[in-house]
Amino acid sequence: MAATNDSQTIEEATTGMESAPDQKTRRYDRQLRLWAKSGQAALESTHILVLSSSSTSTSVLKNLVLPGIGQFTILDRTITSPSDAGNNFFLEGQDSVGKPRAEEAVRLLLELNDGVKGHSIVNKDVKEVLGTEDGVEWLKGTFSLVIAHNLEKGALDQLSDVLWKDAKSPPLVVIRSAGFLAEVFIQFHEHAVIDSHLDTTPSLRIDKPFPALLKHSLEIDFENMDVTDHGHVPYVYILVRVLEEWKQAHGGNPPKTSDEKKEFKAIISKMRKKADEENFEEAEAQAFKCWSSTVVPYDIKSLFGAENVAPHTKPFHLLLKALEVYTTTVEPYTLPLSATLPDMKASTGQYVEIQRLYKDRAVEERDTFKAILDKIIAEQGEDASLIDDEVIDDFVKNSHILRLLKGKKWGALDQDKEKLAEAAASEESSKQLGIHLALSALSSLQAKRQEAEFAPTLEELTAEAKAILPEGVELPDEHFDNAIGEAARSPTADLPNTAAFLGGVVAQETIKMITKQYVPIDGYCTIDLVETWSGVL
Amino acid sequence: MSTAQGRGTHAKAILGPELYAKLENTHVLLVGAGGIGCELLKNIVLTGFGRITLLDLDTIDLSNLNRQFLFRKKDVKQSKALVAAQTASAFNPNVKITPIHDNIKEPQYDIPWFQQFDLVLNALDNLDARRHVNRMCMAGNVPLVESGTAGYLGQVQPLLKDRTECFDCIPKPTPKTFPVCTIRSTPSQPIHCIVWSKSYLMGQLFGEDEDADAGGELDAAEKEGENAQEIDALRKEATAFKAVRDALRSPTNQDAAHLVFQKVFNADIKNLLSMSDMWKSRSPPIPLDFEGIMNGSFVLRQGANADASTSKLPEAALKDQRTLTLKDNVSLFIESTNRLADRLRNGEDTISFDKDDDDTLDFVTAASNLRSSAYGIETKTRWEVKEMAGNIIPAIATTNAIVSGLIVLQALQLLRKSYDKLRNVHLQFKPAVPLSTISLSLPNPQCGVCRDTYTVLRCDPARATLGEVVKGLLGEDEREVSVYEGQRVLSDPDWDDNNERTLESLSVTRGKFLAIVDEDGELTTLSVGIALLPDDHPADAPPFILPSPLPQPARRVKPPPPAPETPHKANGNGKRLLPVELDDGVIDMAPTPKKPKRNGLAPASVPNGPVSVGTKRKATGREGEEDKSSPSKKRRLEEEGLVVMDGVDDKLEEEPDFILIDD
C-alpha cells in the first residue's frame, strides 16, 4: 500500500508544486523525527521471528507493528486458554479460547497497520526447527532478529548455541519474566552504530584552524568596524584571531598556566567596544577551546584495530580503517571536520558566511577521506560499490560519536565463575545478580520438572540458584531474597503491566538494533517493577 | 475454567485477593485518550479496574496511528474518547467504560465531580490542562498519577495532597517569546519569520476582523520604549490590511492572493526601508518582485538564490523535506492563499494555524520562507516549518508503552496506600540506566496551589451573595481577609462594595474558585470551589450549604529568606527534569493564540500563574468609575500577572492561550 504512494518519479518529486507529504509520511511523522528515513527503511525491510505469543510477546510486537516493521512471524503451538484470553489484548476473549494462540494474535496485530505482513506457524516448535539442518538454515536466513519470551531452558540454550556458532546469524533477544521481575538480554557478535545520537558536539578546531578560517579571522578589522557589526562577529573568529596572535608572541604555544589563561581572557575582554557584547562573552566562555587540543577522542581511537568478527559489520570496519589512516596521515591529525555549527551570536550574514567556510572545508576533508577509503577497499579486493556515498557522509559526519559493541553469548555469565563472584561481591551489581539468579533458578527448575502447574517452593528455588554460583560464593542476601520471593509467588504470571512495560523496552531495543541508530542496552537488563527499578549487569 | 474466572488469574496472583477485589469497584478517571491514554486504557482494563471514565476533547488524526493503537484508519476524524472506549470495551465486557468527548476544563467538571473518582490518571498533552487537573485533584484530595513523554524520554509522577509535592510545586519553564519588533520588522532567524507568519500574518488575513488588536500591541511596544518611528510604520501597515482582507473574502476577486503578496512582501517592506535609520547598522530587507521572480529576472542577492537552488538533500528525500526555491515559495504562497480564501468564501469565519491543516501549513511555509528570503535568512523545508511552527516533538509507541506500565504500577501503590513505594520515575536516554527513580519530595511550602486549604461550597450563585458566603465560611473568625477570583480582587478589608452582589453577577460560578486570603499573611489561603446545590435542596432554604465542619486554614510557613533558584533540589543523584515533555508529539513552547484578538506575539505578559496575588486592584462595579486604572497602571499590573477588569461585564479571556496542537 505504502509503496504506491511513494512511487512517483524523481521528476515529479522535485518539480511538482505540491509539497504535501504522502499518507505514509504523515502516519510516521512523529517517529521519522527520531530515526529519519534511513531508520524507517531499515525497519521496513526487516523480518522478525517471535517465539511465543504470550502477552509480553504481543506487547512487543504491537510496538513493532505500529511503527511499520516489514514482516513478523510467530512460532508457537500453544492453544489459547481462558487465562490467556483475560491477559492478552491481542486475543478476542472467549472467541479465541481453544484456537491456536499465534494465529489469533497475528490476525489481531495486523489490524494495527496494513503496511505490515504477519505469519504464524502453529504446527511445530522451535526445537523441531532446530532439529533439522533445513530448519536451522531457514532460521538463520529468513530473519533479521529473533525474540524469545520465557522460552523453555533447553530450547533457549540450543537456540542460542546455534545462533552464536555462526557470526552471520541474526541477533537473539531473550526476555524472561515472572510477576514483577524481568530480564532482557541481546545476544549478538558485533553491533556497529554510526549515528548514535549521542549529544557530544564535534570539535570546531579553533586550536587548529583550517586555512580559510585562519585567513578570514586575521582579516577582520576589529578596530575600524561599525559598533553593531563588532557585536556580531562570531566568537569562533575572535578566538582564532586572538589565539594566533598569542601564539606568535609565545613561541607558537597556546596559553598554558592559569595566569596565562587569565591573561588570554583579559585580552578578549579588552577587545570589546561596548560592555554588553554577547559575542565577546561567548568567546571568553569558550576560550578553553584554545588550550584544550583537538585530538581523536579516546572512544574513537580505541576502536581502531578492532577485530571484525561478523560479516555484516565489514563496511564499518573498512570505514574505521580509513578513519585510522586519515587521522594518522592527514594534517592536523584529527577527525574530519564537521559542518555542524552550534548557535552563536552573529548577524545573519556573518552566520551564513561562517557556515559556508565550515561546509566547504568539511566537503574537502570528506573527499580526502573518501579517497583513502577507496584505496583501502581496492587493496582489500572488495567491491567499490560496497559502501554508498550516503553512508560515507553519515560516517564522516558522526565520526566523533561512532560506537562498536562487542556482544556476548546468552548464558555466558552463568558459566563465568569469576564474573559471578565479582558481581555477588559488588554493591553496584548485587541487585541485578539477585534478579538474574532468581530467574535462572526458575527456568532451570522448570526445565527439570516439566510440570503443567509449576509451583516451586522458596527452598527449591534457592537451592537451584546456589548451584549456579561457584563454590564459596554466597547469594546476595537481601536482594536475592526479595527476588526469589517474587519468583516463588508468581513463577508463571505474565502480568499485563509488566508485559506492557517489557513490550516497550524490548521493542525500543529491537528498533535500535534494526535501525543501527542509538546505543542499545549492553548486557543483562534486570527489572524489578515492585521497586520501579532497572539495572544493567 | 471460564473466561470470566480465568481473566483475573494473573492479576489476582500478583495483587493478592484483597486488592484485586477492590479493583472491580474502583472508579478511575483517565484524562486523555492519545498516545499514553490508549496504552493506559488497555492496561487498566487488563489489570481489572471495574469502572473507567475516559475523557478527551480531540479527534483522531492520521499521524496518531503510529502509536495510538486503539484507532484505525477508518476512525480518522472521530472522537478519540468514543473510539478508544469502544475498542477497549469489546475486550472486557465486565469493565464499564464511560467515554466523554469534552474539555476537562468545562465548569461541570467541578470538585464534587472529581471526588467521585478513587483515582485520576493524567495522559494529557498540554501543560495548561495538566495544571488544571492537578489543581482539581489537590482541591478534591483525589490521588493523581501524572505523566508525559517526548521521544525516548518519559516521566511518571504520583501526586497526593499533603503527602507529595504537586505538579505546580516546581515552577514550569515559561514559553519562549520574542520582542514585537523582532517579529514585525527586524527578524534575524527562521523562527522569527515562522512566528510572524503563523501568529501575525495568518491572524491579519484569516483571523477575526479586529484591527484594534494590532494597535494595542503596538501601543504597548511604544510604551516599552521601542522605536517610535518604526511603530508608526507598523501602524500604517496594519490599517492597510483592511483592503486585502476584503479582497480575500470577496467572491469576485480573483487576484486577492497576488494583492496580498504585493502588500506583504513588497509594499510593507518598502515602507520599512523608508526608515533609513533602522538600516544603518543592519542589512536591509529586499522587497520581492512578483513578476521578476516568476519570469526568472529577479535577482535577490548574491548567494541567496544559489542556496535555494542547490538542494541539500538527495532527490530521493521525502517530498516535504526538499528545499523550495524562491519561485516555488511564491507559487506555494499564491496557491495556498487561494485555497484559504476559498474556504473563507465558502463559509468559514476564521482560519488559524493548525499543523495538521495542510492549507495553513503550506501558507506558513511559503510566507515564512518568502520573508526569510527578503531578509537574507536561511529558508526551511515544509517538514522543518511544521516542526517549528507546530512545536512538534517526536513520539513513538515504545516510550508510551513503558510509561503506561509504570503509571499503573504507581496507581496500584496509591490504591494500596503503600506510600513508601511511590516513586517519581524518569525514563532516560542512557543505555546503562534506563529508569531513574526518585523518592517523592514533600510539598513545596510556598506552592500557590497545593498549600491552599480547599473546601467546596454548594450554592446557587444567582442568589448567594459574596458577603454572606465569605462571612459564613469564616464563621466565628473575625480576621481580616481579601477575596479573589482568579486574578481579580472582589473585596478587601477597606472595600466591601461587592458584598451585596450575587456570586453570579461577579462571574463566580460553578467550577470557579473563591480565594480567601488572610490579610496578615498568617494563615494559608482558603480556596473555595463553587459547586451547585443538590437537587433535593429545599427552595426556601439558604442559597448555600456551608461545609461542615468549617475549613480551618493552617498556619503559613514563612518563605525562607533569600529564595533559592529552584525551591527543591532533587533527592539523591537523579537530575530533576521538568515535565515539559508532553505526550502526543506536542510540546508547549511558543504559544499561538486561538484568536488573533489577543496580542499574538508576546504572551509573556500574561503568565497563567497560580492565584497567589501580591498586588491588589479592584474589580469595580459600574458605579465605581473613579477607580478605573490608568493605562500605564494597567500595563504595569498586567506585567505582574494581573488582568485589569474594567467592569463586571468584562469577561476574562480564556487562559493564556497555550496551544493544544496535536491529536
Side-chain angles (χ1 to χ4, degrees):
Chain A
M1 159 218 82
T4 51
N5 286 334
D6 255 357
S7 63
Q8 63 169 185
T9 63
I10 300 270
E11 178 83 356
E12 283 163 350
T14 49
T15 58
M17 203 35 253
E18 201 226 334
S19 62
D22 51 65
Q23 288 223 326
K24 184 170 148 187
T25 309
R26 293 185 63 135
R27 181 183 190 114
Y28 295 138
D29 182 278
R30 298 302 185 273
Q31 68 201 42
L32 286 168
R33 292 171 199 275
L34 272 179
W35 55 66
K37 202 190 168 212
S38 61
Q40 189 64 28
L43 214 52
E44 286 172 19
S45 59
T46 292
H47 189 170
I48 286 190
L49 175 67
V50 180
L51 304 169
S52 126
S53 47
S54 63
S55 181
T56 298
S57 299
T58 55
S59 295
V60 174
L61 276 169
K62 170 187 112 290
N63 297 332
L64 292 172
V65 170
L66 286 170
I69 194 157
Q71 299 183 55
F72 67 93
T73 296
I74 302 181
L75 178 66
D76 187 1
R77 60 193 328 169
T78 309
I79 300 298
T80 310
S81 70
S83 71
D84 284 333
N87 196 32
N88 193 326
F89 201 82
F90 295 94
L91 294 174
E92 267 185 322
Q94 190 66 57
D95 293 347
S96 292
V97 174
K99 295 181 187 162
R101 195 172 66 173
E103 254 174 44
E104 293 290 285
V106 168
R107 180 169 59 82
L108 293 162
L109 282 163
L110 287 179
E111 283 183 9
L112 298 176
N113 190 343
D114 52 13
V116 175
K117 290 198 188 76
H119 322 274
S120 57
I121 300 171
V122 298
N123 59 0
K124 54 181 153 191
D125 61 25
V126 69
K127 273 199 156 168
E128 288 168 64
V129 172
L130 293 171
T132 69
E133 222 164 275
D134 283 355
V136 170
E137 283 316 306
W138 169 76
L139 205 124
K140 290 196 294 194
T142 312
F143 303 103
S144 8
L145 190 128
V146 181
I147 299 174
H149 174 235
N150 280 357
L151 186 60
E152 180 261 316
K153 186 174 189 312
L156 181 59
D157 288 348
Q158 199 184 342
L159 175 67
S160 68
D161 281 348
V162 165
L163 295 181
W164 186 256
K165 240 181 256 157
D166 183 350
K168 283 202 300 290
S169 305
L172 169 65
V173 182
V174 179
I175 318 165
R176 299 199 301 195
S177 69
F180 282 120
L181 294 184
E183 172 176 56
V184 178
F185 179 89
I186 311 176
Q187 167 180 303
F188 59 86
H189 277 277
E190 217 176 14
H191 182 68
V193 187
I194 292 176
D195 191 356
S196 64
H197 294 259
L198 294 169
D199 59 358
T200 317
T201 44
S203 168
L204 292 170
R205 253 196 245 162
I206 287 171
D207 60 319
K208 294 170 180 163
F210 51 92
L213 176 62
L214 184 63
K215 180 164 177 285
H216 190 99
S217 305
L218 293 178
E219 280 169 4
I220 297 175
D221 184 0
F222 285 100
E223 301 276 307
N224 300 311
M225 198 174 244
D226 171 274
V227 181
T228 310
D229 289 343
H230 194 264
H232 287 85
V233 176
Y235 78 79
V236 174
Y237 293 147
I238 301 174
L239 287 179
V240 170
R241 167 71 161 268
V242 177
L243 180 62
E244 182 60 23
E245 288 172 357
W246 175 280
K247 280 185 178 167
Q248 282 178 7
H250 294 78
N253 292 315
K256 284 178 186 159
T257 66
S258 89
D259 282 347
E260 283 182 343
K261 289 172 187 173
K262 261 186 218 149
E263 192 188 330
F264 187 86
K265 287 186 185 174
I267 296 174
I268 298 172
S269 188
K270 262 185 239 142
M271 287 171 76
R272 299 180 190 212
K273 287 198 173 175
K274 277 167 42 190
D276 60 348
E277 287 179 318
E278 279 176 50
N279 52 335
F280 283 87
E281 269 169 40
E282 284 177 350
E284 269 188 76
Q286 300 292 323
F288 69 92
K289 289 187 169 150
C290 296
W291 47 81
S292 45
S293 170
T294 300
V295 291
V296 181
Y298 173 79
D299 283 341
I300 304 303
K301 213 172 195 167
S302 62
L303 300 181
F304 294 154
E307 191 198 351
N308 178 15
V309 293
H312 65 272
T313 48
K314 177 93 192 175
F316 186 83
H317 282 274
L318 290 169
L319 287 159
L320 216 48
K321 181 73 203 162
L323 191 63
E324 186 182 354
V325 172
Y326 182 93
T327 56
T328 48
T329 59
V330 178
E331 282 191 71
Y333 313 113
T334 61
L335 295 174
L337 188 72
S338 160
T340 324
L341 284 180
D343 256 356
M344 58 188 82
K345 181 77 183 176
S347 63
T348 307
Q350 292 269 31
Y351 195 73
V352 169
E353 171 71 17
I354 193 168
Q355 264 183 329
R356 194 184 53 76
L357 282 183
Y358 270 81
K359 196 173 158 191
D360 289 352
R361 179 64 186 189
V363 169
E364 262 176 56
E365 298 197 1
R366 194 251 345 252
D367 290 345
T368 311
F369 174 86
K370 198 168 175 304
I372 294 172
L373 178 70
D374 286 345
K375 206 166 148 235
I376 289 171
I377 291 176
E379 278 168 10
Q380 301 216 356
E382 297 288 342
D383 187 349
S385 66
L386 183 66
I387 308 171
D388 64 33
D389 282 1
E390 231 172 293
V391 176
I392 298 172
D393 287 354
D394 214 26
F395 183 90
V396 171
K397 196 175 93 195
N398 292 298
S399 60
H400 61 297
I401 49 167
L402 304 168
R403 287 296 178 269
L404 180 65
L405 306 185
K406 296 284 186 177
K408 293 210 169 61
K409 183 181 177 308
W410 162 254
L413 175 68
D414 293 356
Q415 311 302 322
D416 189 338
K417 306 290 175 198
E418 217 170 287
K419 198 84 198 278
L420 284 172
E422 195 184 301
S426 153
E427 265 301 305
E428 309 267 276
S429 56
S430 60
K431 176 154 188 175
Q432 288 91 316
L433 185 66
I435 295 170
H436 174 75
L437 286 175
L439 290 167
S440 291
L442 207 52
S443 67
S444 74
L445 196 62
Q446 193 167 17
K448 286 179 193 164
R449 294 281 177 77
Q450 303 284 349
E451 294 162 344
E453 292 285 317
F454 178 53
T457 63
L458 265 181
E459 292 68 35
E460 290 168 334
L461 284 172
T462 309
E464 199 66 37
K466 271 204 174 123
I468 298 171
L469 285 180
E471 198 87 13
V473 175
E474 290 298 313
L475 289 169
D477 279 347
E478 188 199 329
H479 293 312
F480 178 75
D481 290 349
N482 285 340
I484 208 82
E486 179 62 18
R489 191 162 71 98
S490 44
T492 56
D494 199 3
L495 184 69
N497 287 298
T498 308
F501 179 87
L502 283 174
V505 171
V506 173
Q508 192 124 304
E509 297 311 306
T510 300
I511 291 170
K512 289 180 191 170
M513 292 298 292
I514 295 168
T515 57
K516 300 187 170 65
Q517 292 182 39
Y518 299 91
V519 185
I521 291 172
D522 191 9
Y524 297 79
C525 178
T526 56
I527 295 154
D528 173 356
L529 290 180
V530 178
E531 298 285 336
T532 319
W533 178 93
S534 70
V536 177
L537 184 62
Chain B
M1 189 164 35
S2 78
T3 313
Q5 287 168 322
R7 184 184 298 283
T9 313
H10 293 316
K12 216 180 287 179
I14 302 298
L15 300 170
E18 212 173 304
L19 183 60
Y20 184 73
K22 218 175 149 185
L23 285 184
E24 282 176 60
N25 302 314
T26 302
H27 195 176
V28 188
L29 170 64
L30 172 50
V31 195
I36 297 180
C38 280
E39 295 284 342
L40 196 47
L41 183 63
K42 174 201 66 174
N43 292 356
I44 58 181
V45 164
L46 286 171
T47 305
F49 285 89
R51 294 165 66 203
I52 299 164
T53 297
L54 175 66
L55 186 143
D56 197 307
L57 58 73
D58 243 333
T59 55
I60 298 159
D61 183 80
L62 187 59
S63 68
N64 301 150
L65 300 186
N66 81 326
R67 61 198 186 281
Q68 299 175 17
F69 73 101
L70 298 174
F71 311 138
R72 307 285 175 272
K73 228 174 181 171
K74 65 175 170 49
D75 302 322
V76 167
K77 306 261 185 251
Q78 306 288 314
S79 152
K80 284 189 175 179
L82 266 52
V83 175
Q86 216 166 28
T87 316
S89 297
F91 181 76
N92 187 347
N94 305 327
V95 179
K96 187 165 177 286
I97 306 177
T98 314
I100 304 176
H101 182 200
D102 203 358
N103 189 339
I104 191 66
K105 292 185 71 181
E106 290 296 316
Q108 68 265 35
Y109 308 121
D110 55 11
I111 299 176
W113 186 83
F114 269 89
Q115 283 173 326
Q116 65 179 308
F117 302 104
D118 300 293
L119 185 69
V120 178
L121 305 176
N122 256 0
L124 279 162
D125 63 355
N126 71 90
L127 212 50
D128 189 38
R130 292 168 79 179
R131 297 176 64 163
H132 177 80
V133 175
N134 171 64
R135 181 148 194 247
M136 297 309 286
C137 288
M138 290 301 132
N141 200 13
V142 185
L144 166 67
V145 185
E146 167 50 51
S147 61
T149 66
Y152 284 126
L153 304 173
Q155 196 209 355
V156 176
Q157 187 181 16
L159 306 170
L160 185 60
K161 177 130 174 32
D162 299 337
R163 283 199 178 264
T164 73
E165 62 184 16
C166 82
F167 189 66
D168 265 320
C169 277
I170 296 185
K172 302 292 175 283
T174 44
K176 185 158 174 53
T177 59
F178 303 101
V180 175
C181 286
T182 303
I183 300 300
R184 299 274 288 273
S185 54
T186 53
S188 60
Q189 294 169 21
I191 186 68
H192 299 154
C193 298
I194 291 169
V195 170
W196 173 84
S197 309
K198 79 162 184 170
S199 301
Y200 173 70
L201 188 59
M202 279 226 54
Q204 289 294 317
L205 298 175
F206 308 109
E208 277 173 29
D209 187 7
E210 187 82 48
D211 287 351
D213 135 72
E217 178 182 301
L218 293 172
D219 289 347
E222 189 168 18
K223 283 178 194 122
E224 277 153 29
E226 296 200 36
N227 184 320
Q229 192 193 4
E230 187 180 341
I231 303 269
D232 212 43
L234 291 173
R235 262 198 203 105
K236 264 186 235 158
E237 177 190 309
T239 39
F241 265 107
K242 176 117 184 51
V244 290
R245 280 182 66 92
D246 292 347
L248 286 169
R249 285 159 180 80
S250 146
T252 51
N253 196 326
Q254 295 305 306
D255 202 29
H258 185 222
L259 268 177
V260 175
F261 183 96
Q262 286 302 343
K263 165 171 168 42
V264 174
F265 299 112
N266 192 284
D268 287 350
I269 290 178
K270 281 184 180 151
N271 186 19
L272 281 174
L273 282 176
S274 68
M275 292 173 293
S276 44
D277 275 3
M278 266 176 70
W279 312 110
K280 271 188 181 155
S281 58
R282 339 179 140 89
S283 50
I286 297 174
L288 301 182
D289 167 11
F290 183 87
E291 281 71 28
I293 294 170
M294 296 317 278
N295 67 28
S297 66
F298 178 73
V299 178
L300 186 57
R301 56 167 70 73
Q302 225 52 29
N305 274 348
D307 260 3
S309 57
T310 51
S311 175
K312 281 185 282 184
L313 286 155
E315 277 131 347
L318 293 169
K319 216 188 325 179
D320 63 345
Q321 289 184 15
R322 118 193 120 81
T323 304
L324 300 170
T325 64
L326 186 55
K327 192 173 166 185
D328 286 344
N329 278 312
V330 173
S331 307
L332 186 63
F333 180 82
I334 296 296
E335 198 214 339
S336 58
T337 305
N338 282 331
R339 272 185 272 147
L340 291 166
D342 274 347
R343 284 166 55 175
L344 290 178
R345 289 164 192 159
N346 284 315
E348 271 185 67
D349 273 351
T350 61
I351 304 170
S352 56
F353 176 74
D354 174 349
K355 69 183 178 348
D356 293 318
D357 176 340
D358 278 338
D359 298 339
T360 64
L361 181 58
D362 283 344
F363 176 85
V364 168
T365 303
S368 56
N369 279 339
L370 290 174
R371 187 166 174 85
S372 290
S373 302
Y375 280 88
I377 298 166
E378 152 198 18
T379 63
K380 293 280 167 186
T381 65
R382 188 182 187 275
W383 165 269
E384 291 164 325
V385 171
K386 183 173 182 180
E387 184 158 329
M388 294 167 82
N391 301 326
I392 292 179
I393 50 163
I396 37 166
T398 51
T399 310
N400 290 334
I402 297 172
V403 160
S404 309
L406 295 172
I407 292 170
V408 181
L409 294 165
Q410 295 301 317
L412 293 175
Q413 309 287 18
L414 271 172
L415 285 180
R416 244 184 204 162
K417 302 202 168 28
S418 318
Y419 298 131
D420 59 323
K421 289 242 159 62
L422 292 178
R423 297 285 185 275
N424 201 341
V425 193
H426 292 274
L427 182 64
Q428 39 185 25
F429 181 58
K430 270 192 209 155
V433 200
L435 293 181
S436 126
T437 311
I438 307 170
S439 302
L440 296 183
S441 308
L442 289 172
N444 172 6
Q446 306 310 320
C447 179
V449 174
C450 75
R451 292 302 85 214
D452 285 5
T453 302
Y454 284 92
T455 191
V456 179
L457 182 76
R458 289 183 169 271
C459 67
D460 175 359
R463 292 193 290 139
T465 64
L466 181 67
E468 60 180 350
V469 160
V470 172
K471 191 164 184 306
L473 283 162
L474 291 177
E476 304 289 294
D477 203 342
E478 298 279 307
R479 65 197 172 100
E480 297 204 312
V481 295
S482 298
V483 182
Y484 296 76
E485 188 286 312
Q487 292 154 340
R488 300 180 301 148
V489 183
L490 302 178
S491 78
D492 68 26
D494 309 319
W495 182 63
D496 57 6
D497 298 11
N498 288 329
N499 279 4
E500 299 305 312
R501 299 176 56 182
T502 64
L503 295 180
E504 191 176 75
S505 74
L506 291 164
S507 296
V508 179
T509 48
R510 185 180 188 185
K512 298 208 169 144
F513 285 89
L514 270 185
I516 303 180
V517 179
D518 187 45
E519 198 58 17
D520 298 332
E522 293 290 329
L523 300 178
T524 55
T525 296
L526 180 61
S527 269
V528 186
I530 306 298
L532 298 186
L533 288 169
D535 291 339
D536 57 358
H537 190 75
D540 52 351
F544 57 89
I545 305 174
L546 289 173
S548 171
L550 286 178
Q552 298 299 328
R555 293 246 141 235
R556 266 188 72 195
V557 179
K558 291 278 192 281
E565 222 165 275
T566 41
H568 277 241
K569 287 268 183 286
N571 298 2
N573 54 2
K575 194 171 62 177
R576 216 44 200 283
L577 300 172
L578 283 177
V580 284
E581 63 273 30
L582 313 165
D583 168 50
D584 273 357
V586 185
I587 195 160
D588 277 324
M589 259 169 45
T592 310
K594 278 178 217 133
K595 288 185 234 153
K597 210 169 153 188
R598 193 193 266 293
N599 168 351
L601 309 172
S605 62
V606 236
N608 55 349
V611 233
S612 46
V613 176
T615 312
K616 278 191 295 179
R617 173 197 33 86
K618 291 162 189 183
T620 56
R622 282 187 193 93
E623 53 284 345
E625 295 293 316
E626 78 284 354
D627 221 308
K628 199 160 265 181
S629 313
S630 71
S632 68
K633 191 175 167 202
K634 175 169 167 165
R635 200 180 65 249
R636 189 169 51 78
L637 290 169
E638 285 181 347
E639 276 161 14
E640 288 171 23
L642 300 171
V643 179
V644 173
M645 306 286 289
D646 289 331
V648 276
D649 295 334
D650 253 18
K651 285 257 165 62
L652 260 183
E653 291 236 10
E654 289 173 79
E655 281 288 88
D657 289 314
F658 275 98
I659 190 167
L660 334 177
I661 309 125
D662 188 34
D663 311 2

